[in-house]
C-alpha cells in the first residue's frame, strides 16, 4: 500500500514537471509599449526595443511564472532628442537604473486564453506591485520556425509618480497605460 | 498656488531668488557673516519643489543635494577658523574629489579599468579645481558673487541643452539664488562672501556640471569654460573708483562669455531641449 502511494505521488510530480513548460522570450517579437498624456494635448506612444526573460506555463499547477527584463536605454518614441531626455535622470535614469524588471508572484488562468498576473515591477530603483491583465494567450507550434511558441498580449496601468518619476507633473501625465506583446520560444 | 509652484520656470528663477533675498535680509539682521548661507536657503527651497526631499533610492541628483548640505557645516567651520592650514585645504579639496567620485560611482564601476580611471579621475580633478577656484574668492565678495552667478547659470543652461532639465533647473536655481545675494552685495559693498557662500556653491556647481556630462548628454568640453569662470574672476580687476554696480557689471561682462560659450557649445552639439 505504501509503495502504491509513493508511485502515485511520483506520477503526480512527474506530470506536474512535464506540464510546466519553460519558454525563452523572443526579443524580436516582444515589446513593452506605453502611452502617456503630453500636456493634455495628445497621447504619446512609446516602446522599449530590447526585452529578455523567461515564461513558464503550467496550466494545471501553480508553477507558471513571468520574468521579464527590459533595457531602460532602449526606450523609443520615434524622436531622438525626446528619447535622450526620457533616458536622463528627469525620467527613467537609464544610466543608474539600466534594467526595468517584472517578476510575477501569482498567475491565475481564466479559461484557455486569459489570465491575471500579479507581480512586482521595478523601475528607477523602486519596486511596486503591478497586475497584468492577459487577454490573449496562444501556445502552439510556429508554422514557420516549427518551434513551440507561446505568445500573449497583456495590459496594465501604473502611475509614474509611484516609481519616483515626478518630473513635469502634472503637465506631463502621471497615468501610464502599458501594453505588452510577448512571444517566447520553448527551451 | 500649487500650479504656480509647479511651474519649472518659476521654480528655477523667481522662487530661489525671492527666498534667498528674504533669507539674506534675515541673516543680515542676526548673522551677517553667514549671509552667504541665504543662497543655499534659496537653492534648497527650489530643490524641494524641483526634485523633492526623498532620498530613497539614492540617485546621483539626491547625492548631490545631500553633499551640498554636508558642505555647509564644513564652510561654517572654515569661516570660524581665522587661518586655514595648507594641509587642511588639501584634505578638503581631496574630499570634494572623493564626493564627486561617489556621485558618478554607478557609472565608473561598470567601466573597464582605463575608462573608469579616466572618468573618475577627470571628475575628481574637476571637482577639486572648481571648488578650490571658487573658494579662493571668499575674500572678494563681488568677484565671488559674479563668478558663482555666471557659472551656475552656465551650468544650468548647458545642462538644459544636454537633455537634463532636472540638473538644468537646479543649476539655474543656484544662479537665481546667487543673483539675489549679488544684488545685495552691490548695494552693501561691505557684505562679506566667506566660505559659506563660495565653498558649497562652487562645490555644487562642480557636482551638477560633471553629473550632466555623465548622466545626461552634456559634452565634456563644455566643462572647460565653466570651470575657468572662477579662475578668470580672480584676475579681473575692475576700477575700484567707479560705482559698485559698474564694477559688478564689468565683472559680469568679463565672465559671462565663458558661461555663454558653454551653453552655445552644448546647444551646438545637442540642439535645443525638447519642450
Amino acid at each position: 500500500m505504501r509503495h502504491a502511494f509513493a508511485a502515485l505521488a511520483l506520477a503526480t510530480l512527474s506530470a506536474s514537471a512535464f506540464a510546466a513548460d519553460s519558454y525563452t522570450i523572443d526579443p524580436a517579437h516582444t515589446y513593452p509599449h506605453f502611452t502617456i498624456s503630453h500636456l493634455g494635448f495628445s497621447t504619446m506612444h512609446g516602446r522599449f526595443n530590447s526585452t529578455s526573460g523567461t515564461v513558464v506555463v503550467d496550466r494545471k499547477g501553480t508553477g507558471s511564472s513571468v520574468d521579464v527584463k527590459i533595457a531602460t536605454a532602449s526606450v523609443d518614441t520615434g524622436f531622438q532628442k525626446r528619447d535622450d531626455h526620457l533616458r536622463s535622470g528627469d525620467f527613467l535614469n537609464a544610466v543608474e537604473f539600466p534594467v526595468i524588471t517584472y517578476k510575477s508572484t501569482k498567475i491565475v488562468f481564466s479559461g484557455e486564453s486569459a489570465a491575471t498576473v500579479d507581480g512586482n515591477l521595478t523601475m528607477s530603483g523602486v519596486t511596486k506591485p503591478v497586475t497584468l491583465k492577459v487577454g490573449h494567450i496562444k501556445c502552439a507550434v510556429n508554422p514557420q520556425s516549427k518551434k513551440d511558441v507561446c505568445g500573449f498580449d497583456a495590459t496594465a496601468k501604473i502611475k509614474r509618480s509611484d516609481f519616483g518619476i515626478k518630473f513635469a507633473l502634472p503637465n506631463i501625465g502621471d497615468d501610464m497605460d502599458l501594453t505588452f506583446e510577448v512571444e517566447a520560444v520553448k527551451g | 498656488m500649487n500650479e504656480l509652484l509647479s511651474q519649472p520656470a518659476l521654480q528655477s528663477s523667481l522662487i530661489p531668488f525671492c527666498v534667498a533675498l528674504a533669507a539674506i535680509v534675515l541673516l543680515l539682521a542676526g548673522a551677517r557673516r553667514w549671509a552667504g548661507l541665504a543662497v543655499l536657503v534659496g537653492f534648497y527651497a527650489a530643490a524641494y519643489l524641483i526634485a523633492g526631499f526623498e532620498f530613497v533610492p539614492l540617485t546621483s541628483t539626491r547625492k548631490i543635494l545631500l553633499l551640498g548640505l554636508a558642505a555647509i557645516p564644513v564652510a561654517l567651520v572654515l569661516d570660524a577658523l581665522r587661518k586655514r592650514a595648507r594641509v587642511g585645504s588639501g584634505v578638503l579639496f581631496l574630499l570634494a574629489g572623493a564626493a564627486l567620485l561617489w556621485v558618478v560611482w554607478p557609472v565608473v564601476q561598470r567601466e573597464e579599468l582605463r575608462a573608469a580611471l579616466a572618468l573618475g579621475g577627470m571628475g575628481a580633478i574637476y571637482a577639486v579645481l572648481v571648488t578650490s577656484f571658487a573658494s579662493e574668492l571668499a575674500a572678494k565678495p563681488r568677484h565671488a558673487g559674479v563668478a558663482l552667478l555666471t557659472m551656475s547659470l552656465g551650468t544650468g543652461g548647458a545642462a538644459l541643452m544636454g537633455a537634463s532639465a532636472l540638473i538644468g533647473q537646479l543649476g539655474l536655481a543656484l544662479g537665481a539664488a546667487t543673483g539675489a545675494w549679488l544684488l545685495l552685495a552691490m548695494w552693501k559693498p561691505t557684505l562679506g562672501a566667506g566660505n559659506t557662500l563660495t565653498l558649497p556653491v562652487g562645490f555644487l556647481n562642480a557636482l551638477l556640471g560633471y553629473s550632466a556630462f555623465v548622466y545626461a548628454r552634456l559634452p565634456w568640453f563644455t566643462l572647460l569654460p565653466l570651470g575657468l569662470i572662477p579662475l578668470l574672476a580672480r584676475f579681473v580687476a575692475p576700477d575700484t573708483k567707479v560705482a559698485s554696480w559698474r564694477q559688478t557689471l564689468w565683472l559680469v561682462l568679463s565672465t559671462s562669455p565663458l558661461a555663454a560659450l558653454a551653453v552655445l557649445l552644448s546647444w551646438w552639439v545637442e540642439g535645443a531641449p525638447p519642450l
Side-chain angles (χ1 to χ4, degrees):
Chain A
M1 190 64 178
R2 217 168 60 183
H3 288 294
F5 272 124
L8 186 66
L10 198 65
T12 312
L13 274 173
S14 305
S16 168
F18 280 116
D21 293 320
S22 184
Y23 296 82
T24 303
I25 280 178
D26 172 8
H29 294 95
T30 302
Y31 294 99
H33 300 254
F34 61 88
T35 62
I36 192 165
S37 167
H38 179 243
L39 310 174
F41 291 119
S42 65
T43 304
M44 196 197 72
H45 292 242
R47 75 176 192 186
F48 293 89
N49 289 331
S50 179
T51 304
S52 60
T54 53
V55 176
V56 175
V57 180
D58 177 12
R59 284 183 179 275
K60 289 173 184 166
T62 54
S64 294
S65 66
V66 176
D67 187 346
V68 177
K69 290 181 174 66
I70 302 162
T72 314
S74 71
V75 67
D76 182 354
T77 62
F79 180 52
Q80 182 68 43
K81 188 78 187 177
R82 179 171 52 230
D83 295 343
D84 289 340
H85 192 200
L86 289 174
R87 288 182 195 111
S88 78
D90 295 356
F91 290 98
L92 296 168
N93 203 351
V95 178
E96 287 182 84
F97 304 106
V99 182
I100 298 168
T101 63
Y102 182 80
K103 284 183 198 292
S104 64
T105 52
K106 184 185 171 191
I107 299 179
V108 178
F109 289 96
S110 339
E112 278 297 303
S113 62
T116 303
V117 181
D118 291 332
N120 291 316
L121 178 68
T122 303
M123 186 162 63
S124 297
V126 178
T127 302
K128 293 278 175 189
V130 169
T131 298
L132 297 178
K133 286 185 178 169
V134 183
H136 166 84
I137 306 171
K138 182 181 176 181
C139 296
V141 175
N142 182 320
Q144 289 175 320
S145 68
K146 309 297 180 195
K147 289 178 179 170
D148 282 319
V149 171
C150 234
F152 64 87
D153 295 329
T155 58
K157 285 180 187 294
I158 61 166
K159 282 188 186 293
R160 66 183 174 105
S161 59
D162 287 346
F163 295 88
I165 305 170
K166 296 178 181 174
F167 177 77
L169 282 174
N171 298 334
I172 295 174
D174 193 11
D175 295 312
M176 291 178 76
D177 287 335
L178 308 179
T179 310
F180 297 84
E181 51 178 277
V182 179
E183 282 189 24
V185 182
K186 196 171 182 178
Chain B
M1 187 65 178
N2 275 350
E3 220 168 274
L4 268 179
L5 293 177
S6 64
Q7 285 293 326
L10 288 182
Q11 286 173 345
S12 46
S13 60
L14 207 59
I15 291 169
F17 181 86
C18 291
V19 173
L21 206 58
I24 297 166
V25 172
L26 287 175
L27 284 166
L28 279 180
R32 189 187 177 88
R33 64 186 298 202
W34 294 337
L37 284 179
V39 173
L40 294 155
V41 174
F43 170 71
Y44 278 98
Y48 174 73
L49 296 171
I50 294 165
F53 277 165
E54 291 160 35
F55 295 98
V56 178
L58 193 55
T59 61
S60 56
T61 313
R62 289 165 176 168
K63 285 179 186 173
I64 292 171
L65 295 178
L66 284 176
L67 287 167
L69 286 172
I72 295 172
V74 177
L76 289 171
V77 170
L78 286 178
D79 274 349
L81 296 171
R82 288 202 170 172
K83 204 174 177 183
R84 198 198 300 177
R86 187 164 283 189
V87 177
S89 295
V91 170
L92 194 68
F93 297 136
L94 281 178
L95 279 176
L100 189 132
L101 209 55
W102 181 51
V103 172
V104 298
W105 187 248
V107 179
V108 170
Q109 67 171 347
R110 285 204 295 267
E111 298 286 345
E112 296 282 328
L113 182 65
R114 188 180 286 187
L117 285 173
L119 192 68
M122 264 173 54
I125 290 168
Y126 185 71
V128 169
L129 290 180
V130 171
T131 311
S132 65
F133 290 161
S135 196
E136 290 292 330
L137 297 172
K140 295 178 167 182
R142 207 173 291 115
H143 289 69
V146 170
L148 295 172
L149 169 77
T150 50
M151 185 163 60
S152 303
L153 294 180
T155 301
L160 206 59
M161 301 292 169
S164 176
L166 181 62
I167 298 176
Q169 269 191 273
L170 291 173
L172 294 174
L174 199 54
T178 311
W181 187 90
L182 186 62
L183 193 69
L184 225 73
M186 274 198 300
W187 185 47
K188 284 181 176 292
T190 54
L191 191 67
N195 286 291
T196 42
L197 174 74
T198 57
L199 186 76
V201 178
F203 182 47
L204 278 167
N205 262 292
L207 298 179
L208 289 171
Y210 204 75
S211 292
F213 157 59
V214 173
Y215 292 110
R217 294 182 61 85
L218 185 75
W220 68 268
F221 44 83
T222 57
L223 296 174
L224 294 175
L226 290 171
L228 286 174
I229 290 173
L231 183 66
L232 173 71
R234 220 166 116 189
F235 298 108
V236 177
D239 184 356
T240 49
K241 288 174 191 157
V242 299
S244 175
W245 70 268
R246 286 184 69 179
Q247 292 181 46
T248 307
L249 185 65
W250 175 245
L251 279 163
V252 169
L253 290 173
S254 305
T255 55
S256 56
L258 285 175
L261 178 65
V263 177
L264 276 172
L265 284 171
S266 186
W267 175 72
W268 180 52
V269 175
E270 292 297 329
L275 296 173

